[in-house]
Amino acid sequence: GCWAPPLAPQDILCRGTLRRKLRSGKAGAALDFTKQLGHFFVDHPEDAFGSLGPLLHKNFYLGNAALRVSVFVGLPALHPTPSAAAGIANVRPICSPQRQARDTTIRMTSLVEEINRLEARHGCPRQRFAPRVRWFSHLCRDWLFEVPLGLLAGCVHDELERRWAGLLFDDSGTAGALAWLPTGDAGAHTGCLVYPAGPAMNQLCFQDVVLGEMPRARGSPAQFDLNGRIRQVAAAQVDGEGFVGVRSDYHCGVWRVPGRPGAPPTALQVIRTDVPACCLTASPHLPGELAVCTESGAVYLWSVETGLQQLRREAQTMFFRDHSPWRWSEFTAHPRVLSCADRTGLQCLDARAPERCHFDFFKVGEEAGCQQGERVVLPMYLGRAHPSQHLVATQFAVYVMDERLPLVPVLKWAHMMKAPPLFAQVVPGGPGRSHKVLLGASHTQELLLLQYTGERWGGSGSACQLAGPPQKLHSISSCLQHLPAQLPHRHRLLQQRLGVPATGLAAELHAQGQRESLLVFQLSEAGDVFYQSLTHEVAQPEAPDGEDEDAAAPSPSAPCASPRPAPAVPSVAAVLRYRRWLRALFRDRQVPSRHGGARAPPTISQRRLFTSKDLVPAAGPGELHARARQQLLRTMRQGGLIGRWAPAPEPQPPPQPVQP
Amino acid sequence: SHKHKLDFRKSKDLCLSYIQDAMLQKQWKRAAEFLTFYIESLEKDFSTEYMGPSEMIWRMGTEILCHCSQSNMKEFNSFIEQMKTLGVKRYLKVCLEHAFHLLCNGRTDEAYQSLSLAESWRFGEQTTAQDKELKLIQAYRGLLDYYNWSKQKQVLLEYEKDGFEDLSVEQEMHNSFRKAAVSLKEIIQIPGVWDLFVQCYVDLLEFYGDHEEARQVLSEYAYNSKFPANPNAHVYLYQFLKRHGEPKKSLISVLKILHDIVPCHELMIDFHAMLQKSKKRKKRRLGLEVIFAALDYAGWKENVKAWNCLARQVKQIIISEKHLEWIKQEWNSRKDWWPAFHFSRYLAKRNWQENESLAYEKALVAGILLGKDCKYFKYVSHQGCKDQKKKKFRTLKKFVNKHSSVYLKISG
């Protein structure tokens, strides 16, 4: 990446210059770097000026009065004033000999005023440089900062760039953090939704769900508190048991969910990584086996019984050079063969001899008819539909690949989504029916359904083809128009809440007698789970091949404290649940303002990147918060990484802050 | 002015997203309306993007017209004719897709005409991409010739049955053959996956008795390293050799290569059977390897035939008390994951409920490989022995008990 441009003293204080420079030059994203650095100084004065602040506070005077010698010994000589200067500590009463104070104290008030005026004039084309400010910055830039300014600026710039890249495309949540596991026998219509919740998305919830007329949560979810934001939840069912892999930046954990409905999930194992993990997939073949990738380019086969086995460690990408450290791994039809992906393509390698036995599976290039700049975004094993088929999604197209015929896609479709598909789900169709693939994007909340038919295993060998035109499903924010009207400010709040990026996708085919429906669950970054059900429609005569799924009215719902806006005819329970959710939303929004702290906006904006005051969550009210903290500390001290946290029954539960 | 241009572009993009939205929600009429606006807003396509506006109009328009219930073939054809003139570089692509559309609607003759017309089209200097597209068009025209040929063949066969001859039909048929053969032969020389064309070409050659040529085409298709590794190529070669009664040895060598590329191919059962019949020790050894490798794959988990093959060979080896080391070698690389993959208690229960004979075969293998205390064997033999009528389970139990020492030998 590009390094921070060397900063001149005026760049720090006069913000117009750098911006003009960036505008005229060819620098990529024109981040307002000066302002960001300024934010950093305001937000982290301790880090920026830690030692010199206390040393200097005797010598800087910020009051309005003129400096004069006081005659009363022992009484405050200088009036303390509320400080407005960044990082400069308040001038406190000095009780030293007066003459010395007069000699060593300077009045900073006018300088601060000038800085404030500069702020007010910001953007004014006729901005003049303030000689006094330049003089001051020139004088002290070498010694005022705790960390040498160049170094600090470099670090801040790197961080800014990282965040900027994250705003453009965040791949940390690839594959999504929502999973559905059917429990009980086939046709029992019960299952378990696994998703993160809580203000920091660090509580792992296992919620039993009954699929009746409408999906309905049964009981309260089993919760586990983890010490990191949950990025991905991967689930697979082997031998009637569910295995759930959970990935956060530096930890991966695996849980077992027994096949009986209502049986509690158990944590099996946790691993810690030095570099952020970027992929976790659970094996559909063998119980307790997972594949893990880290951003250092390492791929591991992780078995609960035998531990980790490193299959590959390659910092470079496979087919051509690409900067992304993102890696992915999926299982294939052979339980010992794993596919490894980076942005440039896929390879398959045998875990028994990873160096010797591997073959190229998918290459971004001519064979697949890729266009310029195309990169792999999400590979997925379609084993539930066909044992040897894989889905490879790029930002422009989706490909269906067959392991038996590598490098040549058996199906390609340009999806034309506005954002790259980060989530995908496959719902296999029975014999003679189409397989359904759902593609979801994060920031735009797009959701697409495409159906394809392919050769059955050992079947006659018909070619893979799309069945009918792809369809767009309702996004979370599109259900706003179906909700009852709200007061304008509440409407805005609701709009904001429904518009947050999606972070997960799950789907299940639900057959009830003759009626068959496809249930699609969506998780939003705010921790709400929504669903919509698509009912099977009899194919129309002009579209004889393929079946037709049509979206019903959107009926988002959530298992716990989540919204359930009204479908065409909402049930009483649904309305109640929706009202409860709405009340909680509005109440929690008001709570922090009473405490005086502003809340972070729902999505990070470039302007707000560094005002950490806003990012500090509202101090959890009282006892529960303290207890949780204590619990977390204890677990960490004991070396355990996760702990089951069951809060004792509270007489009156404090309001849970809504996660931004 | 600059601002005006920017606004114009913005509204064009907006219009495009409306069309896309409508299409994805199957609102074809709305999409068509927006598309007309979009076309009006275009003056000339100067874009250098991957997919320029005129290509988009072609693709979206085709899709919309295909789904609009009111539109008829005539309208569609006139739209396509316009599209052909819109972009010179795309002319061949449009022609080919038009032909596909005509074929889908059962208008073979029109499709044929359209393809032959496109074939004679020339524009400027031929680029490689154009050349490839032209070959593809020729090939599809050849495919239609093949289709005509086989229709005429059918007619002639009918006549022959009734005992009379028709020279004109015969002449026509021969004509079709020549045209088909020439264009099909051309395309299969370019590296690629041409399963359909190869099959048709080989069928033509075989009918006229040119086996040598057919054989050469097939082996070129299978063994030329410039072509993508295509398992079907080997399957076609195998089927051809089998049809012509080639010796076992060449059949085996073809299947051996297929086994190396795709160990989970359905033909592996035949391959195993073939190897089993062989007198050579090495071949029988390979047979064991083949069947073990096939059963590694998730798609074979419930394949009764394959399990039966494995059970039979393992049983044979044990009874003869020779080559126990074969089993040991195969089992060595699998003993850490096969028990969980194939022989769990859950699977024993499910296999027993769903497919008793599968459970029987698997139990035999499990009993030998894992000993009589293995969960799978215990469950199935217990369930089987409960029923007095199921004698084979008793013999199974006896057999495994008798050879319980084998388990120690192969796992040691």
Side-chain angles (χ1 to χ4, degrees), chain B residues 116-141:
Chain B
S116 350
L117 210 66
E119 220 176 324
S120 56
W121 179 83
R122 289 285 179 280
F123 176 78
E125 264 183 49
Q126 268 187 19
T127 58
T128 38
Q130 237 180 40
D131 196 39
K132 220 171 160 186
E133 274 165 10
L134 208 60
K135 285 264 165 59
L136 208 57
I137 285 196
Q138 271 173 12
Y140 276 104
R141 203 256 308 131

PDB file of all heavy atoms in Angstrom, chain B residues 116-141:
ATOM      1  N   SER B 116     -26.168 -21.097 -41.214  1.00  0.00           N
ATOM      2  CA  SER B 116     -25.395 -21.102 -42.464  1.00  0.00           C
ATOM      3  C   SER B 116     -25.154 -19.684 -42.961  1.00  0.00           C
ATOM      4  O   SER B 116     -24.114 -19.402 -43.547  1.00  0.00           O
ATOM      5  CB  SER B 116     -26.080 -21.904 -43.583  1.00  0.00           C
ATOM      6  OG  SER B 116     -27.141 -22.623 -43.126  1.00  0.00           O
ATOM      7  N   LEU B 117     -26.126 -18.814 -42.681  1.00  0.00           N
ATOM      8  CA  LEU B 117     -25.951 -17.412 -43.051  1.00  0.00           C
ATOM      9  C   LEU B 117     -24.776 -16.798 -42.287  1.00  0.00           C
ATOM     10  O   LEU B 117     -23.928 -16.103 -42.845  1.00  0.00           O
ATOM     11  CB  LEU B 117     -27.231 -16.649 -42.731  1.00  0.00           C
ATOM     12  CG  LEU B 117     -27.535 -15.451 -43.613  1.00  0.00           C
ATOM     13  CD1 LEU B 117     -27.820 -15.910 -45.030  1.00  0.00           C
ATOM     14  CD2 LEU B 117     -28.721 -14.690 -43.043  1.00  0.00           C
ATOM     15  N   ALA B 118     -24.733 -17.089 -41.014  1.00  0.00           N
ATOM     16  CA  ALA B 118     -23.674 -16.536 -40.160  1.00  0.00           C
ATOM     17  C   ALA B 118     -22.313 -17.057 -40.588  1.00  0.00           C
ATOM     18  O   ALA B 118     -21.303 -16.364 -40.508  1.00  0.00           O
ATOM     19  CB  ALA B 118     -23.935 -16.904 -38.711  1.00  0.00           C
ATOM     20  N   GLU B 119     -22.322 -18.294 -41.065  1.00  0.00           N
ATOM     21  CA  GLU B 119     -21.070 -18.932 -41.458  1.00  0.00           C
ATOM     22  C   GLU B 119     -20.379 -18.188 -42.592  1.00  0.00           C
ATOM     23  O   GLU B 119     -19.158 -18.097 -42.646  1.00  0.00           O
ATOM     24  CB  GLU B 119     -21.389 -20.348 -41.926  1.00  0.00           C
ATOM     25  CG  GLU B 119     -20.399 -21.362 -41.495  1.00  0.00           C
ATOM     26  CD  GLU B 119     -20.874 -22.724 -41.946  1.00  0.00           C
ATOM     27  OE1 GLU B 119     -22.098 -22.994 -41.935  1.00  0.00           O
ATOM     28  OE2 GLU B 119     -20.020 -23.505 -42.324  1.00  0.00           O
ATOM     29  N   SER B 120     -21.214 -17.651 -43.492  1.00  0.00           N
ATOM     30  CA  SER B 120     -20.626 -17.003 -44.663  1.00  0.00           C
ATOM     31  C   SER B 120     -20.327 -15.537 -44.398  1.00  0.00           C
ATOM     32  O   SER B 120     -19.864 -14.824 -45.268  1.00  0.00           O
ATOM     33  CB  SER B 120     -21.572 -17.143 -45.849  1.00  0.00           C
ATOM     34  OG  SER B 120     -22.824 -16.599 -45.490  1.00  0.00           O
ATOM     35  N   TRP B 121     -20.597 -15.082 -43.201  1.00  0.00           N
ATOM     36  CA  TRP B 121     -20.406 -13.674 -42.878  1.00  0.00           C
ATOM     37  C   TRP B 121     -18.936 -13.373 -42.644  1.00  0.00           C
ATOM     38  O   TRP B 121     -18.221 -14.129 -41.993  1.00  0.00           O
ATOM     39  CB  TRP B 121     -21.232 -13.352 -41.634  1.00  0.00           C
ATOM     40  CG  TRP B 121     -21.128 -11.939 -41.152  1.00  0.00           C
ATOM     41  CD1 TRP B 121     -21.822 -10.886 -41.624  1.00  0.00           C
ATOM     42  CD2 TRP B 121     -20.294 -11.455 -40.105  1.00  0.00           C
ATOM     43  NE1 TRP B 121     -21.485  -9.759 -40.947  1.00  0.00           N
ATOM     44  CE2 TRP B 121     -20.540 -10.077 -40.001  1.00  0.00           C
ATOM     45  CE3 TRP B 121     -19.358 -12.032 -39.256  1.00  0.00           C
ATOM     46  CZ2 TRP B 121     -19.898  -9.274 -39.080  1.00  0.00           C
ATOM     47  CZ3 TRP B 121     -18.717 -11.238 -38.335  1.00  0.00           C
ATOM     48  CH2 TRP B 121     -18.982  -9.864 -38.260  1.00  0.00           C
ATOM     49  N   ARG B 122     -18.482 -12.269 -43.179  1.00  0.00           N
ATOM     50  CA  ARG B 122     -17.090 -11.881 -42.963  1.00  0.00           C
ATOM     51  C   ARG B 122     -17.053 -10.414 -42.629  1.00  0.00           C
ATOM     52  O   ARG B 122     -17.818  -9.620 -43.180  1.00  0.00           O
ATOM     53  CB  ARG B 122     -16.255 -12.104 -44.231  1.00  0.00           C
ATOM     54  CG  ARG B 122     -15.996 -13.545 -44.564  1.00  0.00           C
ATOM     55  CD  ARG B 122     -14.956 -14.171 -43.648  1.00  0.00           C
ATOM     56  NE  ARG B 122     -14.762 -15.552 -43.979  1.00  0.00           N
ATOM     57  CZ  ARG B 122     -15.562 -16.534 -43.611  1.00  0.00           C
ATOM     58  NH1 ARG B 122     -16.646 -16.272 -42.910  1.00  0.00           N
ATOM     59  NH2 ARG B 122     -15.315 -17.782 -43.942  1.00  0.00           N
ATOM     60  N   PHE B 123     -16.180 -10.049 -41.749  1.00  0.00           N
ATOM     61  CA  PHE B 123     -16.031  -8.629 -41.474  1.00  0.00           C
ATOM     62  C   PHE B 123     -14.573  -8.323 -41.201  1.00  0.00           C
ATOM     63  O   PHE B 123     -13.993  -8.832 -40.240  1.00  0.00           O
ATOM     64  CB  PHE B 123     -16.882  -8.215 -40.273  1.00  0.00           C
ATOM     65  CG  PHE B 123     -16.680  -6.775 -39.910  1.00  0.00           C
ATOM     66  CD1 PHE B 123     -17.300  -5.771 -40.644  1.00  0.00           C
ATOM     67  CD2 PHE B 123     -15.850  -6.417 -38.859  1.00  0.00           C
ATOM     68  CE1 PHE B 123     -17.106  -4.452 -40.325  1.00  0.00           C
ATOM     69  CE2 PHE B 123     -15.647  -5.088 -38.534  1.00  0.00           C
ATOM     70  CZ  PHE B 123     -16.279  -4.098 -39.271  1.00  0.00           C
ATOM     71  N   GLY B 124     -13.988  -7.529 -42.023  1.00  0.00           N
ATOM     72  CA  GLY B 124     -12.617  -7.083 -41.821  1.00  0.00           C
ATOM     73  C   GLY B 124     -11.668  -8.248 -41.655  1.00  0.00           C
ATOM     74  O   GLY B 124     -11.864  -9.330 -42.197  1.00  0.00           O
ATOM     75  N   GLU B 125     -10.644  -8.005 -40.881  1.00  0.00           N
ATOM     76  CA  GLU B 125      -9.685  -9.068 -40.639  1.00  0.00           C
ATOM     77  C   GLU B 125     -10.200  -9.959 -39.533  1.00  0.00           C
ATOM     78  O   GLU B 125     -10.757  -9.484 -38.549  1.00  0.00           O
ATOM     79  CB  GLU B 125      -8.340  -8.464 -40.246  1.00  0.00           C
ATOM     80  CG  GLU B 125      -7.399  -8.346 -41.415  1.00  0.00           C
ATOM     81  CD  GLU B 125      -6.068  -7.809 -40.969  1.00  0.00           C
ATOM     82  OE1 GLU B 125      -5.522  -8.323 -39.983  1.00  0.00           O
ATOM     83  OE2 GLU B 125      -5.592  -6.853 -41.596  1.00  0.00           O
ATOM     84  N   GLN B 126      -9.964 -11.221 -39.702  1.00  0.00           N
ATOM     85  CA  GLN B 126     -10.475 -12.132 -38.684  1.00  0.00           C
ATOM     86  C   GLN B 126      -9.574 -12.143 -37.464  1.00  0.00           C
ATOM     87  O   GLN B 126      -8.373 -12.347 -37.560  1.00  0.00           O
ATOM     88  CB  GLN B 126     -10.548 -13.536 -39.267  1.00  0.00           C
ATOM     89  CG  GLN B 126     -11.897 -13.820 -39.866  1.00  0.00           C
ATOM     90  CD  GLN B 126     -12.018 -15.238 -40.274  1.00  0.00           C
ATOM     91  OE1 GLN B 126     -11.253 -16.072 -39.804  1.00  0.00           O
ATOM     92  NE2 GLN B 126     -12.937 -15.525 -41.149  1.00  0.00           N
ATOM     93  N   THR B 127     -10.206 -11.922 -36.317  1.00  0.00           N
ATOM     94  CA  THR B 127      -9.438 -12.042 -35.084  1.00  0.00           C
ATOM     95  C   THR B 127      -9.536 -13.487 -34.610  1.00  0.00           C
ATOM     96  O   THR B 127     -10.340 -14.270 -35.122  1.00  0.00           O
ATOM     97  CB  THR B 127     -10.023 -11.124 -34.012  1.00  0.00           C
ATOM     98  OG1 THR B 127     -11.387 -11.494 -33.826  1.00  0.00           O
ATOM     99  CG2 THR B 127      -9.927  -9.684 -34.428  1.00  0.00           C
ATOM    100  N   THR B 128      -8.706 -13.826 -33.620  1.00  0.00           N
ATOM    101  CA  THR B 128      -8.739 -15.209 -33.132  1.00  0.00           C
ATOM    102  C   THR B 128     -10.076 -15.519 -32.470  1.00  0.00           C
ATOM    103  O   THR B 128     -10.600 -16.625 -32.589  1.00  0.00           O
ATOM    104  CB  THR B 128      -7.604 -15.452 -32.127  1.00  0.00           C
ATOM    105  OG1 THR B 128      -7.446 -14.300 -31.336  1.00  0.00           O
ATOM    106  CG2 THR B 128      -6.320 -15.813 -32.806  1.00  0.00           C
ATOM    107  N   ALA B 129     -10.606 -14.501 -31.750  1.00  0.00           N
ATOM    108  CA  ALA B 129     -11.882 -14.721 -31.075  1.00  0.00           C
ATOM    109  C   ALA B 129     -12.969 -14.996 -32.099  1.00  0.00           C
ATOM    110  O   ALA B 129     -13.783 -15.903 -31.954  1.00  0.00           O
ATOM    111  CB  ALA B 129     -12.232 -13.509 -30.230  1.00  0.00           C
ATOM    112  N   GLN B 130     -12.922 -14.186 -33.192  1.00  0.00           N
ATOM    113  CA  GLN B 130     -13.909 -14.355 -34.251  1.00  0.00           C
ATOM    114  C   GLN B 130     -13.780 -15.733 -34.884  1.00  0.00           C
ATOM    115  O   GLN B 130     -14.766 -16.411 -35.136  1.00  0.00           O
ATOM    116  CB  GLN B 130     -13.641 -13.300 -35.307  1.00  0.00           C
ATOM    117  CG  GLN B 130     -14.823 -12.428 -35.568  1.00  0.00           C
ATOM    118  CD  GLN B 130     -14.478 -11.415 -36.634  1.00  0.00           C
ATOM    119  OE1 GLN B 130     -13.799 -11.718 -37.604  1.00  0.00           O
ATOM    120  NE2 GLN B 130     -14.937 -10.211 -36.431  1.00  0.00           N
ATOM    121  N   ASP B 131     -12.559 -16.139 -35.059  1.00  0.00           N
ATOM    122  CA  ASP B 131     -12.283 -17.419 -35.682  1.00  0.00           C
ATOM    123  C   ASP B 131     -12.885 -18.554 -34.855  1.00  0.00           C
ATOM    124  O   ASP B 131     -13.507 -19.466 -35.378  1.00  0.00           O
ATOM    125  CB  ASP B 131     -10.761 -17.584 -35.785  1.00  0.00           C
ATOM    126  CG  ASP B 131     -10.394 -18.680 -36.759  1.00  0.00           C
ATOM    127  OD1 ASP B 131     -11.084 -18.766 -37.798  1.00  0.00           O
ATOM    128  OD2 ASP B 131      -9.460 -19.426 -36.474  1.00  0.00           O
ATOM    129  N   LYS B 132     -12.713 -18.426 -33.562  1.00  0.00           N
ATOM    130  CA  LYS B 132     -13.219 -19.456 -32.662  1.00  0.00           C
ATOM    131  C   LYS B 132     -14.743 -19.503 -32.712  1.00  0.00           C
ATOM    132  O   LYS B 132     -15.351 -20.573 -32.748  1.00  0.00           O
ATOM    133  CB  LYS B 132     -12.754 -19.136 -31.239  1.00  0.00           C
ATOM    134  CG  LYS B 132     -12.330 -20.367 -30.465  1.00  0.00           C
ATOM    135  CD  LYS B 132     -11.680 -19.951 -29.174  1.00  0.00           C
ATOM    136  CE  LYS B 132     -11.687 -21.089 -28.195  1.00  0.00           C
ATOM    137  NZ  LYS B 132     -11.193 -20.646 -26.895  1.00  0.00           N
ATOM    138  N   GLU B 133     -15.337 -18.309 -32.711  1.00  0.00           N
ATOM    139  CA  GLU B 133     -16.800 -18.251 -32.759  1.00  0.00           C
ATOM    140  C   GLU B 133     -17.321 -18.827 -34.069  1.00  0.00           C
ATOM    141  O   GLU B 133     -18.339 -19.532 -34.092  1.00  0.00           O
ATOM    142  CB  GLU B 133     -17.267 -16.804 -32.600  1.00  0.00           C
ATOM    143  CG  GLU B 133     -17.406 -16.407 -31.153  1.00  0.00           C
ATOM    144  CD  GLU B 133     -17.504 -14.909 -30.979  1.00  0.00           C
ATOM    145  OE1 GLU B 133     -17.654 -14.196 -31.979  1.00  0.00           O
ATOM    146  OE2 GLU B 133     -17.438 -14.461 -29.827  1.00  0.00           O
ATOM    147  N   LEU B 134     -16.596 -18.550 -35.130  1.00  0.00           N
ATOM    148  CA  LEU B 134     -17.007 -19.061 -36.429  1.00  0.00           C
ATOM    149  C   LEU B 134     -16.958 -20.588 -36.447  1.00  0.00           C
ATOM    150  O   LEU B 134     -17.857 -21.248 -36.962  1.00  0.00           O
ATOM    151  CB  LEU B 134     -16.074 -18.481 -37.504  1.00  0.00           C
ATOM    152  CG  LEU B 134     -16.691 -18.342 -38.880  1.00  0.00           C
ATOM    153  CD1 LEU B 134     -17.891 -17.421 -38.836  1.00  0.00           C
ATOM    154  CD2 LEU B 134     -15.669 -17.824 -39.870  1.00  0.00           C
ATOM    155  N   LYS B 135     -15.912 -21.123 -35.845  1.00  0.00           N
ATOM    156  CA  LYS B 135     -15.784 -22.583 -35.758  1.00  0.00           C
ATOM    157  C   LYS B 135     -16.951 -23.177 -34.983  1.00  0.00           C
ATOM    158  O   LYS B 135     -17.476 -24.231 -35.319  1.00  0.00           O
ATOM    159  CB  LYS B 135     -14.470 -22.927 -35.043  1.00  0.00           C
ATOM    160  CG  LYS B 135     -13.243 -22.725 -35.890  1.00  0.00           C
ATOM    161  CD  LYS B 135     -12.817 -24.041 -36.530  1.00  0.00           C
ATOM    162  CE  LYS B 135     -11.822 -23.829 -37.651  1.00  0.00           C
ATOM    163  NZ  LYS B 135     -10.587 -23.156 -37.244  1.00  0.00           N
ATOM    164  N   LEU B 136     -17.328 -22.462 -33.934  1.00  0.00           N
ATOM    165  CA  LEU B 136     -18.423 -22.931 -33.098  1.00  0.00           C
ATOM    166  C   LEU B 136     -19.731 -22.932 -33.885  1.00  0.00           C
ATOM    167  O   LEU B 136     -20.521 -23.878 -33.820  1.00  0.00           O
ATOM    168  CB  LEU B 136     -18.540 -22.015 -31.875  1.00  0.00           C
ATOM    169  CG  LEU B 136     -19.103 -22.641 -30.616  1.00  0.00           C
ATOM    170  CD1 LEU B 136     -18.284 -23.843 -30.215  1.00  0.00           C
ATOM    171  CD2 LEU B 136     -19.124 -21.628 -29.493  1.00  0.00           C
ATOM    172  N   ILE B 137     -19.913 -21.883 -34.664  1.00  0.00           N
ATOM    173  CA  ILE B 137     -21.121 -21.803 -35.492  1.00  0.00           C
ATOM    174  C   ILE B 137     -21.144 -22.940 -36.506  1.00  0.00           C
ATOM    175  O   ILE B 137     -22.147 -23.625 -36.699  1.00  0.00           O
ATOM    176  CB  ILE B 137     -21.180 -20.423 -36.191  1.00  0.00           C
ATOM    177  CG1 ILE B 137     -21.587 -19.393 -35.143  1.00  0.00           C
ATOM    178  CG2 ILE B 137     -22.118 -20.442 -37.378  1.00  0.00           C
ATOM    179  CD1 ILE B 137     -22.055 -18.095 -35.658  1.00  0.00           C
ATOM    180  N   GLN B 138     -19.989 -23.169 -37.116  1.00  0.00           N
ATOM    181  CA  GLN B 138     -19.886 -24.287 -38.065  1.00  0.00           C
ATOM    182  C   GLN B 138     -20.211 -25.610 -37.389  1.00  0.00           C
ATOM    183  O   GLN B 138     -20.920 -26.448 -37.934  1.00  0.00           O
ATOM    184  CB  GLN B 138     -18.472 -24.363 -38.609  1.00  0.00           C
ATOM    185  CG  GLN B 138     -18.253 -23.529 -39.837  1.00  0.00           C
ATOM    186  CD  GLN B 138     -16.780 -23.515 -40.234  1.00  0.00           C
ATOM    187  OE1 GLN B 138     -15.993 -24.301 -39.704  1.00  0.00           O
ATOM    188  NE2 GLN B 138     -16.426 -22.626 -41.125  1.00  0.00           N
ATOM    189  N   ALA B 139     -19.692 -25.749 -36.192  1.00  0.00           N
ATOM    190  CA  ALA B 139     -19.891 -27.007 -35.482  1.00  0.00           C
ATOM    191  C   ALA B 139     -21.363 -27.236 -35.190  1.00  0.00           C
ATOM    192  O   ALA B 139     -21.880 -28.348 -35.358  1.00  0.00           O
ATOM    193  CB  ALA B 139     -19.090 -27.005 -34.194  1.00  0.00           C
ATOM    194  N   TYR B 140     -22.053 -26.189 -34.773  1.00  0.00           N
ATOM    195  CA  TYR B 140     -23.473 -26.362 -34.487  1.00  0.00           C
ATOM    196  C   TYR B 140     -24.265 -26.616 -35.769  1.00  0.00           C
ATOM    197  O   TYR B 140     -25.225 -27.383 -35.776  1.00  0.00           O
ATOM    198  CB  TYR B 140     -24.026 -25.161 -33.710  1.00  0.00           C
ATOM    199  CG  TYR B 140     -23.772 -25.311 -32.221  1.00  0.00           C
ATOM    200  CD1 TYR B 140     -22.773 -24.600 -31.581  1.00  0.00           C
ATOM    201  CD2 TYR B 140     -24.522 -26.225 -31.475  1.00  0.00           C
ATOM    202  CE1 TYR B 140     -22.526 -24.767 -30.234  1.00  0.00           C
ATOM    203  CE2 TYR B 140     -24.285 -26.401 -30.123  1.00  0.00           C
ATOM    204  CZ  TYR B 140     -23.287 -25.661 -29.507  1.00  0.00           C
ATOM    205  OH  TYR B 140     -23.049 -25.860 -28.177  1.00  0.00           O
ATOM    206  N   ARG B 141     -23.824 -25.984 -36.843  1.00  0.00           N
ATOM    207  CA  ARG B 141     -24.472 -26.275 -38.120  1.00  0.00           C
ATOM    208  C   ARG B 141     -24.216 -27.735 -38.475  1.00  0.00           C
ATOM    209  O   ARG B 141     -25.118 -28.449 -38.915  1.00  0.00           O
ATOM    210  CB  ARG B 141     -23.917 -25.326 -39.202  1.00  0.00           C
ATOM    211  CG  ARG B 141     -24.826 -25.121 -40.387  1.00  0.00           C
ATOM    212  CD  ARG B 141     -24.378 -25.879 -41.595  1.00  0.00           C
ATOM    213  NE  ARG B 141     -22.981 -25.608 -41.909  1.00  0.00           N
ATOM    214  CZ  ARG B 141     -22.097 -26.558 -42.149  1.00  0.00           C
ATOM    215  NH1 ARG B 141     -22.452 -27.827 -42.126  1.00  0.00           N
ATOM    216  NH2 ARG B 141     -20.845 -26.254 -42.414  1.00  0.00           N
TER     217      ARG B 141
END
